[in-house]
Amino acid sequence: MSEFTYRNGMLHAEGVSVVDLAERFGTPLYIYSRTHLIRQYQALAEAMKPIAPQFYFAIKSNSNLAVIETLGAQGAGADVVSGGELFRALRAGISADRIVFAGVGKTVAEIDYALSEQIRFFTVESEEELTRISERAVAAGCVGRIAIRVNPDVDPHTHKYTSTGKAENKFGVDLSRAEKAYEQALQLPGIEVAGLHMHLGSPIMTPAPYAEALEKVRPLCERLKKEVETFRHLDIGGGLGISYRPEQAPLDPRDFASAVLPALHGLGLAVGMEPGRFYTGNAGILVTRVEYVKQNPFKKFVIVDAAMNDLLRPPLYEAHHEIVAVQQTDEQIFGDVVGPVCESADFMAQNRELPAVESGNLLAILSAGAYGFVMASNYNARGRAAEVMVSGDRVEEVRARETWEELVQGERIPTWE
Ligand SMILES: Cc1ncc(COP(=O)(O)O)c(C=O)c1O
């Protein structure tokens, strides 16, 4: 169920008119629904209740402090992939013992930071990383808890850029080497073997890949559980799919639960999950104003004030986002929605039936709450959009629009003297 609905022909975010928000905060504007975030959290928690997993919100999907805080207040921890994300999670009030740290390229500084905060565990992506965490933990006189990210070589049936659990992907340690990696971990000083991790990719639209991967890693988990006293966690990653098109069914948490619970029951391990998009994707829209409608000899271009620097998913993944008029109309035109950035890749929709709009009208790009603002850049010296959060009739600006002054902050012209 969406929290972005029409009332008297005008799009609303929960109880608030999107036109009013665009006038008050300007465009392009990201709008997040707090109710949707909470509802998604609760739906998954309810479905998985028989094993009560710890949810680690994958903050890479949307790392605004208000979003992290909303989910943290529901009980979520955080899955982070950089020192910056760890900083954000802590700043938003997530306690370190509910934070896990993944990523193939953790630097010494990032490892030191996470060790000093005593996070729950590192999701280790290579044997070399194990050695590095061991050395840093010994140097700091502490223990680094780790879960090896096992790559189970399962096809998640998603875009090649968002598949992470196939043998050819850079992530994790393949299943055939995992046992050796655990042996290495058990010998290393300063390391505590806390669990096993996997993440297959995203968005995953059926539970089958999870069930297949669990079948593959289960024997290893059982063995480690028996042999290693500290081995207590199984983190099954994120990637749960949402609907990006009206006709597309999202991954139903109840179907997901039915498929994975049999494999998880009886393992005796604390299960972790790392949903990102499932919480945030349909919690957000990107509102943009039409600047021009241009007809060239081949097609029509609706030129808007949002661009690929605001929402990269269409050019990066050929991702589909529904685009609707903020003021409802039955009339349609056919063409592309493009931004002002100087790239032909700067599009939000191509060759589509679109609402008939003209200069000054507002459009809403749907399902933009995940991997939207977080991928924004300053390309073409464009300031990043403002972000607001709505809860019922209330609105809070949760990130101010970036100013031109902020664009040049930190830069200086050398004097060469
Ligand atoms: C390790 C890990 N966990 C969780 C996620 C979250 O994926 P999603 O937002 O699709 O749930 C990702 C996404 O890249 C990931 O790499």
Side-chain angles (χ1 to χ4, degrees), residues 56-61 79-81 102-103 123 125 149 162 164 171 197-204 210 235 237-241 273-280 370-371:
Y56 303 103
F57 167 43
I59 73 170
K60 64 175 75 67
S61 74
D79 157 48
V80 304
V81 289
T123 294
E125 309 246 8
R149 178 171 179 171
T162 54
T164 60
F171 299 97
H197 174 276
M198 64 179 206
H199 171 74
L200 305 177
S202 127
I204 303 178
Y210 293 96
D235 184 334
L240 282 76
M273 288 183 69
E274 300 173 351
R277 180 193 321 265
F278 180 79
Y279 296 147
T280 54
Y371 307 102

Side-chain angles (χ1 to χ4, degrees), residues 58 84 148:
I148 292 181

Side-chain angles (χ1 to χ4, degrees), residues 20-338:
D20 290 352
L21 290 174
E23 267 158 25
R24 186 165 154 205
F25 297 101
T27 55
L29 177 68
Y30 274 98
I31 304 176
Y32 306 130
S33 159
R34 183 165 175 271
T35 302
H36 186 89
L37 291 170
I38 294 172
R39 185 166 335 102
Q40 291 294 98
Y41 183 88
Q42 291 179 348
L44 189 57
E46 181 59 31
M48 296 298 287
K49 210 169 167 183
I51 55 163
Q54 171 66 58
F55 297 99
Y56 303 103
F57 167 43
I59 73 170
K60 64 175 75 67
S61 74
N62 188 323
S63 60
N64 186 287
L65 295 181
V67 172
I68 303 173
E69 191 278 336
T70 300
L71 292 164
Q74 294 297 306
D79 157 48
V80 304
V81 289
S82 69
E85 283 197 354
L86 175 54
F87 176 80
R88 279 184 171 277
L90 292 167
R91 182 59 69 88
I94 307 281
S95 60
D97 64 355
R98 281 191 289 145
I99 297 178
V100 294
F101 190 167
V104 295
K106 297 176 196 79
T107 64
V108 165
E110 287 174 323
I111 290 169
D112 288 351
Y113 178 31
L115 285 171
S116 72
E117 294 292 342
Q118 300 187 347
I119 62 163
R120 180 165 280 181
F121 57 77
F122 291 91
T123 294
V124 170
E125 309 246 8
S126 67
E127 293 84 344
E128 251 189 293
E129 186 192 329
L130 265 180
T131 313
R132 183 178 279 185
I133 295 173
S134 162
E135 284 166 2
R136 300 314 299 169
V138 169
C142 65
V143 168
R145 285 175 291 278
I146 63 102
I148 292 181
R149 178 171 179 171
V150 174
N151 181 332
D153 192 20
V154 166
D155 189 347
H157 302 293
T158 184
H159 191 277
K160 64 177 179 198
Y161 290 172
T162 54
S163 154
T164 60
K166 293 206 302 190
E168 71 255 34
N169 298 137
K170 70 177 175 182
F171 299 97
V173 176
D174 57 87
L175 198 49
S176 60
R177 283 192 357 254
E179 202 143 346
K180 263 216 137 52
Y182 274 109
E183 272 169 35
Q184 179 195 348
L186 287 165
Q187 302 305 318
L188 283 169
I191 292 288
E192 180 180 300
V193 173
L196 184 143
H197 174 276
M198 64 179 206
H199 171 74
L200 305 177
S202 127
I204 303 178
M205 302 311 292
T206 73
Y210 293 96
E212 187 186 337
L214 280 173
E215 202 157 307
K216 286 189 163 182
V217 301
R218 197 185 156 105
L220 180 57
C221 285
E222 282 169 342
R223 208 165 329 131
L224 287 164
K225 163 104 195 323
K226 219 180 282 166
E227 290 164 13
V228 183
E229 203 200 322
T230 53
F231 186 89
R232 295 195 194 102
H233 298 272
L234 169 59
D235 184 334
I236 63 173
L240 282 76
I242 58 163
S243 85
Y244 280 97
R245 300 171 189 260
E247 70 279 10
Q248 185 181 31
L251 178 51
D252 186 323
R254 288 162 302 187
D255 295 340
F256 176 80
S258 312
V260 299
L261 284 177
L264 297 171
H265 256 315
L267 263 183
L269 294 171
V271 174
M273 288 183 69
E274 300 173 351
R277 180 193 321 265
F278 180 79
Y279 296 147
T280 54
N282 278 319
I285 62 173
L286 173 60
V287 179
T288 181
R289 201 175 283 282
V290 177
E291 295 289 348
Y292 306 97
V293 179
K294 170 174 168 178
Q295 177 73 58
N296 85 1
F298 297 102
K299 65 159 95 159
K300 205 183 272 293
F301 292 99
V302 177
I303 302 168
V304 297
D305 64 2
M308 65 188 290
N309 76 296
D310 299 301
L311 181 67
L312 189 59
R313 295 189 75 252
L316 183 61
Y317 306 130
E318 296 160 321
H320 176 97
H321 286 263
E322 285 291 308
I323 300 184
V324 300
V326 169
Q327 181 162 14
Q328 219 166 11
T329 168
D330 289 336
E331 279 173 54
Q332 291 201 309
I333 54 175
F334 187 83
D336 291 8
V337 178
V338 300

